[in-house]
Amino acid sequence: MDDDIEVIRELFDRYTELWIRHEMREWGELFTEDCDFITHRGVWWQSREENVRGHEHVPESVLAQKKNYSQTVVEVQPLGPGVMLVHTEWVWPDHVLPGAAVGEDRRGLVTAVLVQRSGRWWIRAAQNTRLNGLDDFAPRHVTPVDEA
């Protein structure tokens, strides 16, 4: 099992490398043909082709910033024979959206289910969740009256 965990860590190193270089066709080869990918905005792509196409079309200003992106595997858990649950954490410092005046430090988690087929690990499903996105229900700091 330790060998599988090391192979999966290497797979996500490759994932990150290809993501940064924006080589989305090759990146897509890490996924099964019937993969599911849910973006941080809640878009659900239900095949490798949809996943790749959805990630290919990115504004040039964002592509230039990909060099700032990093991702780390934080946990790998076996779910059964040939099935692993993987959690990664990503950071994207000073990410500037098209038209924005300033950048923001983004971070998030990817939860992925990997399957082993023909002696190889493949990403079957992944969900990307932003950790510091806007949340209307997040508690707001309120200054107590006696501190004001």
Side-chain angles (χ1 to χ4, degrees):
M1 179 161 103
D2 289 342
D3 289 342
D4 287 327
I5 291 172
E6 184 57 33
V7 167
I8 289 169
R9 288 183 183 282
E10 290 170 5
L11 181 147
F12 276 94
D13 287 346
R14 183 78 176 140
Y15 173 114
T16 304
E17 172 190 328
L18 294 168
W19 172 262
I20 290 169
R21 293 194 332 233
H22 201 68
E23 294 179 13
M24 303 320 293
R25 288 285 156 189
E26 194 172 344
W27 176 82
E29 294 296 321
L30 301 174
F31 295 81
T32 62
E33 289 283 345
D34 61 344
C35 72
D36 291 282
F37 191 102
I38 299 175
T39 72
H40 75 276
R41 293 181 181 252
V43 177
W44 183 8
W45 292 315
Q46 297 180 21
S47 70
R48 178 191 292 165
E49 186 58 30
E50 281 184 14
N51 184 23
V52 168
R53 265 187 318 191
H55 281 100
E56 277 181 322
H57 303 290
V58 177
E60 284 295 323
S61 63
V62 173
L63 292 179
Q65 300 174 61
K66 279 189 152 190
K67 66 185 179 305
N68 297 334
Y69 180 91
S70 65
Q71 181 174 218
T72 304
V73 172
V74 293
E75 187 173 59
V76 179
Q77 295 179 359
L79 294 179
V83 182
M84 293 280 197
L85 176 65
V86 179
H87 292 96
T88 72
E89 184 173 4
W90 57 266
V91 294
W92 198 337
D94 201 30
H95 183 278
V96 182
L97 289 172
V102 296
E104 61 178 304
D105 293 340
R106 290 183 170 207
R107 60 191 186 90
L109 298 171
V110 172
T111 299
V113 175
L114 277 66
V115 294
Q116 193 172 40
R117 295 182 183 162
S118 303
R120 178 181 160 191
W121 286 101
W122 301 82
I123 302 169
R124 172 56 184 84
Q127 179 165 347
N128 183 9
T129 304
R130 239 183 104 192
L131 293 177
N132 59 340
L134 297 177
D135 183 355
D136 291 338
F137 301 107
R140 305 278 192 261
H141 177 74
V142 179
T143 305
V145 175
D146 57 345
E147 284 186 30

